[in-house]
Amino acid sequence: MNKEELDQALDFINNPDGDLNIVLYTCMSDSDLKLLDVKYDDLPPIKDLFINSIKEHIIEKDDYTVIPLSTADERANCFYQYDLELPAELENLRSVIGNDLIENLSLDEYSLADIDSLIVLISDNSHTLSLYKKISPVEVIGRRGYILEFISNN
């Protein structure tokens, strides 16, 4: 994949086929996946936060290239394409897509401190983008990082 192909894959963010939707999942410290039950009125600003971040930090970076992670070096202005064996926690990027059997997070069973990472699905009628965000006990203010997984129904 090169930067132009990355931009084409993300084009549905700017030109969706239907409405853009967002769904949030948690990966718990015991490796269990849970659906976050977010109030409907709270979803648009969360969706905007992720979409604006993708635009600003990926799409609008015209001077960036895409290189395989296995060839990573000290160069700047690049995105890494994950080309190694996928760790189990990143397999969740795919396992949540179309999976209606994932139960809602119950704070009677878990506390917020049990959340290890988030998986965010952004989709339209034809495309699904899954983002992985590791949650550390102390989040560093201003630090951003997530892993993308593209699924195209075309």
Side-chain angles (χ1 to χ4, degrees), residues 1 26 33 35 38 48 50 57 63 68 70 73 86 89 98 104 115 137 153:
M1 174 177 280
T26 61
L33 286 173
L35 176 67
V38 180
D48 291 344
F50 281 98
H57 296 100
D63 58 338
S70 61
D73 53 29
L86 209 57
E89 60 261 359
N104 286 354
I115 298 175
N153 297 334

Side-chain angles (χ1 to χ4, degrees), residues 24-82:
L24 304 167
Y25 298 91
T26 61
C27 300
M28 307 308 291
S29 54
D30 64 1
S31 301
D32 209 8
L33 286 173
K34 297 294 179 183
L35 176 67
L36 273 179
D37 188 15
V38 180
K39 286 190 336 186
Y40 181 79
D41 292 342
D42 293 335
L43 287 173
I46 294 170
K47 178 177 68 177
D48 291 344
L49 175 84
F50 281 98
I51 288 173
N52 291 335
S53 181
I54 291 166
K55 287 178 182 178
E56 179 183 346
H57 296 100
I58 301 173
I59 296 171
E60 294 172 3
K61 299 289 186 179
D62 293 329
D63 58 338
Y64 275 54
T65 59
V66 178
I67 63 171
L69 181 60
S70 61
T71 64
D73 53 29
E74 296 298 320
R75 81 180 84 178
N77 296 352
C78 65
F79 298 112
Y80 296 107
Q81 181 176 359
Y82 205 95

